[in-house]
Amino acid sequence: MMAHSDPRIALIAAAAPLARERRLATLTTDEICQRAGVGAGVFASIFGDLTGYLVAVQQVFMDRLRDRIVAVTAGVPPGMRRIQLATESYLSGCLDERPLRGWLLEARMRPPVLTGLRRQNRTYYMILGAELERLGWTDGAAAARLYLAMINAASIVEHRSGVQPTLRAALWHFLEHGA
C-alpha cells in the first residue's frame, strides 16, 4: 500500500508495480485502490473507470518520455544528432518501463486511450516535421509520419526482444538517405 497525500498521484504510481505483477486483462480497480491505499469511491471520482485511469497513466507515461527527450536533447542544435538522441531516448524509455508499456499497448484498443495517443503523435509530427525540413526534406510532415510509424514499430519489436541495433541502424539510414 502506498502512502501519498494526493490520491491521484498514489493511484497513478500504483500502475508501474502492478504492471510488473499482472497483465492488464486481469487487473481490477479494487487492486489499484488497495495498492494505492485509496478507496474505490475516490478512484471513481477521479478517473470514472479503468479506461479513464489508463488514459491518465498513459498521459503520465508520455509526459515522462517527453521530459526525458527534452533533457537529453537540451542544447543540441537542430539536426540529425538531435533526432537520433530523441529516438534513442524514446526507445530506451519504453524499454525501461517495459511492463507498463505492455499495459499501454493493450490499452490502445480502448478508444479514449487511442485518442490520447493520436493527440500526442500529432504534436510529435509537427515538431519532427519541422526538424526534418531543416535537414532538407521536401515534405517534412509526411516524412515525420513515416519516421514515427517506424519508431513505433521498432519499439514494439524491442518490447518483445530487447534492443535491436539493426532496427535502430535502419532508422538512421532512413534519416540520412531519405531526403
Side-chain angles (χ1 to χ4, degrees):
M1 188 181 301
M2 297 185 173
H4 196 281
S5 61
D6 183 332
R8 185 178 194 284
I9 292 172
L11 288 160
I12 290 173
L18 282 168
R20 287 189 290 273
E21 297 169 13
R22 62 182 24 15
R23 294 198 56 223
L24 179 60
T26 65
L27 182 69
T28 67
T29 57
D30 288 340
E31 290 173 298
I32 299 165
C33 292
Q34 182 179 5
R35 179 64 59 101
V38 174
V42 173
F43 179 94
S45 71
I46 296 171
F47 303 111
D49 59 12
L50 185 57
T51 298
Y53 175 72
L54 292 169
V55 167
V57 169
Q58 176 179 258
Q59 187 58 55
V60 169
F61 178 82
M62 291 187 305
D63 289 349
R64 283 196 309 251
L65 280 176
R66 183 201 59 235
D67 292 348
R68 179 181 179 141
I69 291 166
V70 167
V72 80
T73 59
V76 178
M80 183 71 68
R81 183 68 185 139
R82 185 161 74 176
I83 296 171
Q84 287 176 319
L85 286 170
T87 302
E88 289 281 351
S89 182
Y90 174 83
L91 292 171
S92 296
C94 288
L95 282 174
D96 290 349
E97 295 285 338
R98 191 181 284 180
L100 186 57
R101 172 90 161 125
W103 268 17
L104 297 174
L105 289 171
E106 279 185 67
R108 287 181 180 178
M109 296 301 134
R110 299 168 189 237
V113 175
L114 186 57
T115 297
L117 181 62
R118 286 180 174 155
R119 185 174 36 255
Q120 184 72 39
N121 282 343
R122 281 192 299 274
T123 301
Y124 286 136
Y125 295 151
M126 291 185 325
I127 295 168
L128 182 58
E131 190 96 9
L132 290 171
E133 285 176 6
R134 279 188 225 119
L135 288 173
W137 289 73
T138 55
D139 190 345
R145 290 180 77 82
L146 289 172
Y147 187 68
L148 287 172
M150 292 168 64
I151 293 170
N152 186 52
S155 75
I156 290 170
V157 170
E158 289 190 351
H159 180 81
R160 292 186 206 116
S161 308
V163 174
Q164 299 293 306
T166 56
L167 273 179
R168 292 182 183 202
L171 292 170
W172 312 152
H173 184 80
F174 174 80
L175 289 173
E176 292 167 357
H177 302 287

